[in-house]
DNA sequence: AATTACCTGCAACTAAGTTGCATATTTCTT
DNA sequence: AAGAAATATGCAACTTAGTTGCAGGTAATT
């Protein structure tokens, strides 16, 4: 039997020891139905003014802490967020996939199938994490 | 005969069709003597209040446009800048090296010797640029 | 030295992010 | 199912980041 979204979300939140609130459910629904990564302003736009800005900041921070979402690096000041699809948990993210930013449509995608390569650094550096962000033109825009 | 810094800077600016001004020289000197990448607040700190914030923004933007500096992606809202050591020019950056962020001291470094690997994306994506940011512990901090 | 081109500082504004605290909502306990 | 405890939210107030127009200043060109 297939769980519906609401149920999934409920379990996700409970497993992360977060209480189930309207804001959190709405934001998770947004993540689930959206194609690419989302940035803060997307939430303000898509949720209208039904939720306070501060609540959205705090919700995203909570999701990050619990390993529900991850950040994607950018060269501008925006911060992009996407759902963790692997089994991330509190303080233990392992989203070892490549991210793609389309220069045409602006969408940022998680390429779950594309692993980050291992990088050989000069002697003396300890590597903890490798982020790869590719930019170019996406399938849709070609 | 070895050129001194001032002369180098002068030539760099003239070659980029930028006039030689105090702000630009000071900011380039800062880049040259600093170890890692710099962010906007570093300039305000290190230059004191001798220059207007706006001037610093515009100076960095001009350097970016001319291929004198490049940005380094981060997962926070800060933007880091570093000198281009390869032969970048107006609207044509090619800094194909890996960046390293130390989790201990916070320094962000250009690892000029470490090339970014080529990445094989799923069919349908056109790749224009690949950014690699490694985090971990640097030589000094180990 | 004068003219032109370009750069800078200021003011005013918009957007982004943080913190403390009172109130509201959710969860736990009985 | 009701009350107590724990947690989340909204608001206000504040800080930091970034943008734009414009007047005056500095650098380059002749
Ligand atoms: Mn991702
Ligand atoms: Mn670099
Ligand atoms: Zn696209
Ligand atoms: Zn370090």
């Amino acid at each position: 039997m297939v769980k519906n979204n609401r149920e999934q979300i409920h379990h996700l939140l409970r497993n992360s020891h977060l209480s189930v609130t309207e804001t959190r459910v709405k934001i998770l629904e947004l993540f689930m139905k959206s194609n690419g990564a989302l940035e803060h302003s997307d939430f303000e736009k898509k949720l209208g003014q039904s939720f306070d800005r501060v609540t959205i900041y705090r919700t995203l921070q909570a999701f990050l802490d619990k390993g529900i979402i991850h950040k994607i690096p950018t060269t501008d000041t925006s911060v992009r967020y996407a759902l963790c699809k692997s089994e991330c948990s509190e303080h233990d993210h392992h989203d070892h996939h490549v991210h793609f930013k389309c220069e045409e449509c602006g969408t940022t995608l998680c390429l779950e199938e594309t692993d980050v390569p291992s990088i050989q650094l000069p002697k003396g550096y300890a590597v903890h994490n490798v982020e790869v962000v590719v930019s170019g033109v996406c399938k849709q825009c070609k």
Side-chain angles (χ1 to χ4, degrees), chain A residues 16-57:
Chain A
S16 305
H17 309 289
L18 291 173
S19 40
V20 179
T21 68
E22 207 193 332
T23 323
R24 288 172 180 168
V25 172
K26 278 266 169 54
I27 288 185
L28 283 176
E29 282 177 342
L30 249 181
F31 270 117
M32 285 173 175
K33 77 175 149 210
S34 90
N35 177 35
L38 297 170
E39 58 182 296
H40 188 273
S41 65
D42 291 326
F43 299 105
E44 299 202 41
K45 273 175 218 139
K46 296 187 183 174
L47 300 177
Q49 64 287 78
S50 28
F51 302 100
D52 194 80
R53 267 170 2 101
V54 178
T55 304
I56 296 171
Y57 281 115

Side-chain angles (χ1 to χ4, degrees), chain A residues 57-97:
Chain A
Y57 281 115
R58 290 197 270 225
T59 303
L60 294 172
Q61 188 56 55
F63 289 176
L64 281 171
D65 291 344
K66 300 298 186 176
I68 296 174
I69 60 176
H70 60 278
K71 287 185 182 183
I72 301 165
T74 63
T75 48
D76 55 39
T77 45
S78 73
V79 183
R80 304 251 162 175
Y81 304 89
L83 281 182
C84 295
K85 282 164 197 159
S86 35
E87 347 62 41
C88 297
S89 58
E90 190 148 7
H91 303 298
D92 185 25
H93 280 270
H94 29 273
D95 309 275
H96 300 310
H97 57 264

